[in-house]
C-alpha cells in the first residue's frame, strides 16, 4: 500500500501538481512512519488532493520552533501539521491555526477518548483533531514484585509502595529525570495525582501577567518529596537526572531493574531487544504492567498524557482539501495503522476493540483507561515559559526540597510571565 501511495504522489507531482487540478498539500509530520498514512490517504482521495510530507526534528521543542518560524512568516505551505498538544494553545492564540467549526468539532470529537479530546481544545474550540494519544503505565518485573509482596495487578499501588518494594528487593525505579519535556510530564502527573495543578484553574485565556501558579501547595510538595526520595536513594538508576525514556528502559532491562514508569512503546522495544539479544529470550514473560502509581493512597492517579493532534495552518491556500486530509489522517482506520506501525496509541476508543490491536498490545485496556483518566499538561498560550520554569524549578531531582521547591518555582513562574524576570 505504501509503495503504491508513493507512486501516486510522484505521478501527480510529475503531472504538474496544482496544474493537474489536484491541490498539493504539505503535512509537517513528527514521525517518518506517518509517510505511510499520507500514502494511504492519497489512495483514498483518488486525486482530490495530493498529500506530501515534510519531516520535523525528533524532539518536541525544535518541532515547535520550526513550525512557529514558518507560521510567523505566513508560510502558505503549512497545510497540515502534527502538533504536540501542549503547544496547541500557543499556536492558536497567535492566530497560526485554523479553528475547526462547531460542526467539524462535533464530527472530529466522535468516539475520542477524554484525555486526547481535552487537550485538543483551547477555550472550548478545537484547533487540533485528535490523532493519537499516549499515556504512561507502571511496568514491573513479576518476580521482583512477588518477592516484595506487592501485586500491582490486584489493586492500584502508590509511589511509596513502589519505592519500598524496590528498596526491599535491591532494585531500581526507572523514571525520566532529564531536564526536558519528559520531566514536565512527570511533575504534572505527580501534582495532578495529588489533587493539584501547575496553573490556577481560571488561567486559560488570561493575560500573561494575570496567570497565577498553583504549585505552592501540598500537591507541589508531594511531587518534590517523591522525586527527591527516589533520586537520593539506592533505587535511583545511574544518571537519573539525565535519563529520558530510553535510559529508563535500559535501566529496567538491567538485572537490577525492578520498576519503571514509561510509555507503551517499551513493549515492542522489549520484543526488539529480545530479537537482538540485548536481553534474554523470554524477557517479556517476567514483565507486567499496571496503572500509573497513586500519590495519595485510595485516590486514582492522574495518568500522564501525550500524543499528537493534526491541525490546519491558518495560511493554507487549500482549506477544504486540508480538511478532507485531516478527516482521513485521523480516521479510526488510519489511527489503527499508525498504532500497529508506530506503536502510538489511538485517540479513538473503537480502535481498542480491534482484535489485531488487542493482540499487538495486550495492555490495551490499561492504555485505554489511562487515556480516559489522563491529566493534560497546562493548556496555556504561555506553555513554553511554563514548562521552562517547571523544568528549571524541579531539576535536578536530588536537590529538591518539599518545603521550598514549590514556592520558589511558583514565584519564579509568575515573575517570568509578568515580565519581571527572565527564564
Amino acid at each position: 500500500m505504501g509503495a503504491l501511495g508513493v507512486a501516486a504522489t510522484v505521478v501527480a507531482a510529475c503531472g504538474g501538481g496544482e496544474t493537474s487540478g489536484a491541490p498539493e498539500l504539505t503535512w509537517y509530520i513528527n514521525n517518518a512512519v506517518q509517510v505511510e498514512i499520507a500514502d494511504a490517504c492519497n489512495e483514498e482521495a483518488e486525486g482530490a488532493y495530493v498529500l506530501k510530507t515534510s519531516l520535523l526534528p525528533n524532539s518536541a521543542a525544535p518541532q515547535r520552533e520550526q513550525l512557529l518560524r514558518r507560521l510567523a512568516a505566513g508560510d502558505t505551505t503549512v497545510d497540515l501539521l502534527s502538533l504536540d498538544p501542549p503547544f496547541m494553545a500557543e499556536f492558536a492564540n497567535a492566530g497560526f491555526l485554523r479553528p475547526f467549526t462547531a460542526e467539524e468539532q462535533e464530527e472530529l470529537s466522535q468516539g475520542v477518548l477524554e484525555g486526547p479530546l481535552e487537550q485538543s481544545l483551547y477555550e472550548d474550540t478545537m484547533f487540533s483533531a485528535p490523532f493519537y494519544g499516549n499515556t504512561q503505565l507502571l511496568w514491573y518485573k513479576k518476580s521482583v514484585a512477588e518477592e516484595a509482596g506487592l501485586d500491582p495487578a490486584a489493586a492500584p499501588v502508590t509511589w511509596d509502595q513502589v519505592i519500598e518494594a524496590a528498596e526491599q528487593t535491591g532494585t531500581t525505579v526507572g523514571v525520566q529525570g532529564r531536564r526536558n519535556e519528559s520531566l514536565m510530564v512527570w511533575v504534572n502527573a505527580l501534582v495532578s495525582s495529588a489533587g493539584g495543578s501547575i496553573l490556577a484553574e481560571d488561567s486559560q485565556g488570561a493575560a500573561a501577567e494575570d496567570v497565577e501558579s498553583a504549585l505552592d501547595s501540598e500537591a507541589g510538595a508531594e511531587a518534590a518529596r517523591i522525586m527527591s526520595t527516589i533520586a537520593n536513594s539506592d533505587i535511583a538508576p545511574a544518571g537519573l537526572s539525565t535519563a529520558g525514556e530510553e535510559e529508563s528502559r535500559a535501566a529496567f532491562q538491567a538485572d537490577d531493574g525492578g520498576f519503571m514508569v514509561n510509555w507503551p512503546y517499551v513493549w515492542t522495544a522489549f520484543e526488539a531487544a529480545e530479537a537482538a539479544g540485548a536481553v534474554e529470550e523470554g524477557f517479556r514473560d517476567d514483565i507486567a504492567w499496571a496503572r500509573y502509581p497513586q500519590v495519595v493512597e485510595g485516590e486514582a492517579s492522574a495518568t500522564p498524557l501525550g500524543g499528537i493532534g493534526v491541525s490546519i495552518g491558518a495560511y493554507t491556500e487549500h482549506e477544504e482539501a486540508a480538511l478532507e486530509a485531516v478527516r482521513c489522517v485521523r480516521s479510526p482506520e488510519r489511527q489503527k495503522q499508525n498504532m500497529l506501525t508506530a506503536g502510538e496509541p489511538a485517540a479513538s476508543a473503537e480502535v481498542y476493540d480491534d482484535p489485531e490491536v488487542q493482540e499487538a498490545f495486550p495492555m490495551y485496556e490499561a492504555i485505554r483507561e489511562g487515556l480516559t483518566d489522563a491529566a493534560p499538561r497546562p493548556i496555556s498560550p504561555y506553555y513554553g515559559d511554563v514548562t521552562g520554569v517547571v523544568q528549571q524549578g524541579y531539576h535536578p531531582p536530588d536537590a529538591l526540597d518539599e518545603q521550598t521547591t514549590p514556592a520558589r518555582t511558583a514565584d519564579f513562574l509568575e515573575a517570568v510571565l509578568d515580565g519581571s524576570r527572565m527564564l
Side-chain angles (χ1 to χ4, degrees):
M1 177 177 290
L4 287 173
V6 170
T9 302
V10 172
V11 169
C14 292
E18 298 271 4
T19 58
S20 67
E24 283 191 1
L25 305 172
T26 300
W27 175 20
Y28 285 82
I29 58 176
N30 69 311
N31 187 327
V33 173
Q34 291 162 12
V35 172
E36 298 177 15
I37 304 290
D39 291 343
C41 287
N42 280 327
E43 284 195 58
E44 292 182 20
E46 297 182 333
Y49 59 77
V50 177
L51 185 59
K52 302 186 300 180
T53 57
S54 180
L55 183 62
L56 293 164
N58 284 332
S59 58
Q63 289 172 17
R64 166 184 172 270
E65 291 173 8
Q66 185 173 127
L67 290 169
L68 277 177
R69 282 200 300 270
R70 285 186 173 278
L71 289 166
D75 190 339
T76 60
T77 71
V78 185
D79 299 296
L80 271 67
L81 51 155
S82 291
L83 190 59
D84 203 356
F87 300 123
M88 178 270 295
E90 178 183 21
F91 281 62
N93 190 60
F96 292 162
L97 303 179
R98 171 197 178 276
F100 291 100
T101 67
E103 293 76 15
E104 293 162 1
Q105 181 171 324
E106 182 178 359
E107 171 195 346
L108 297 171
S109 300
Q110 292 295 320
V112 177
L113 294 165
E114 189 172 332
L117 180 59
E118 184 178 352
Q119 67 182 2
S120 73
L121 308 177
Y122 175 59
E123 295 192 295
D124 299 323
T125 298
M126 179 177 285
F127 287 91
S128 282
F131 176 32
Y132 67 83
N134 216 343
T135 190
Q136 291 195 353
L137 305 176
L138 171 66
W139 302 86
Y140 61 97
K141 291 178 179 171
K142 290 183 279 190
S143 57
V144 173
E146 183 178 0
E147 180 183 347
L150 190 68
D151 187 0
V157 297
T158 65
W159 276 98
D160 288 334
Q161 288 175 315
V162 171
I163 291 168
E164 182 180 352
E167 289 174 339
Q168 182 179 335
T169 55
T171 56
T172 63
V173 178
V175 292
Q176 290 82 57
R178 178 183 295 168
R179 186 177 159 181
N180 67 3
E181 200 59 25
S182 301
L183 184 75
M184 179 63 171
V185 168
W186 190 18
V187 174
N188 186 65
L190 292 173
V191 171
S192 300
S193 295
S197 62
I198 291 174
L199 298 182
E201 288 185 3
D202 58 353
S203 64
Q204 193 173 146
E209 60 272 22
D210 296 327
V211 173
E212 295 182 355
S213 173
L215 259 178
D216 187 11
S217 63
E218 186 175 340
E222 275 296 274
R225 179 188 67 80
I226 290 170
M227 297 171 74
S228 175
T229 299
I230 294 174
N232 288 294
S233 70
D234 292 337
I235 67 171
L240 183 149
S241 65
T242 57
E245 286 80 355
E246 277 298 89
E247 289 78 10
S248 299
R249 180 172 69 87
F252 181 72
Q253 290 178 180
D255 291 342
D256 65 348
F259 303 87
M260 169 180 69
V261 288
N262 214 328
W263 309 100
Y265 87 93
V266 297
W267 183 250
T268 52
F270 292 152
E271 182 179 13
E274 283 187 31
V279 296
E280 292 183 359
E281 186 176 347
F283 173 79
R284 287 177 297 163
D285 294 342
D286 191 33
I287 305 304
W289 53 85
R291 184 178 173 120
Y292 198 78
Q294 298 176 346
V295 171
V296 181
E297 187 172 7
E299 294 186 10
S301 58
T303 50
L305 180 62
I308 285 292
V310 181
S311 299
I312 297 175
Y315 308 110
T316 177
E317 295 176 340
H318 308 292
E319 191 172 324
E320 289 303 316
L323 178 59
E324 285 304 311
V326 168
R327 288 186 170 115
C328 176
V329 166
R330 54 77 56 204
S331 67
E333 292 79 10
R334 301 284 75 84
Q335 289 186 45
K336 172 189 170 183
Q337 177 186 350
N338 187 62
M339 190 167 179
L340 293 176
T341 55
E344 294 159 340
S348 294
E350 69 176 85
V351 176
Y352 297 88
D353 296 329
D354 188 286
E356 283 186 81
V357 170
Q358 294 180 1
E359 181 178 0
F361 294 87
M363 72 296 298
Y364 71 93
E365 290 181 323
I367 297 173
R368 181 167 53 191
E369 179 182 308
L371 289 175
T372 301
D373 299 338
R377 281 160 276 172
I379 299 174
S380 167
Y382 317 110
Y383 183 78
D385 286 336
V386 173
T387 187
V389 169
V390 172
Q391 289 174 34
Q392 183 168 321
Y394 277 74
H395 190 273
D398 63 0
L400 303 186
D401 183 334
E402 61 187 277
Q403 302 296 326
T404 60
T405 295
R408 186 178 65 244
T409 306
D411 290 345
F412 185 31
L413 176 54
E414 292 179 2
V416 167
L417 291 178
D418 70 21
S420 59
R421 293 181 65 182
M422 298 290 289
L423 182 60

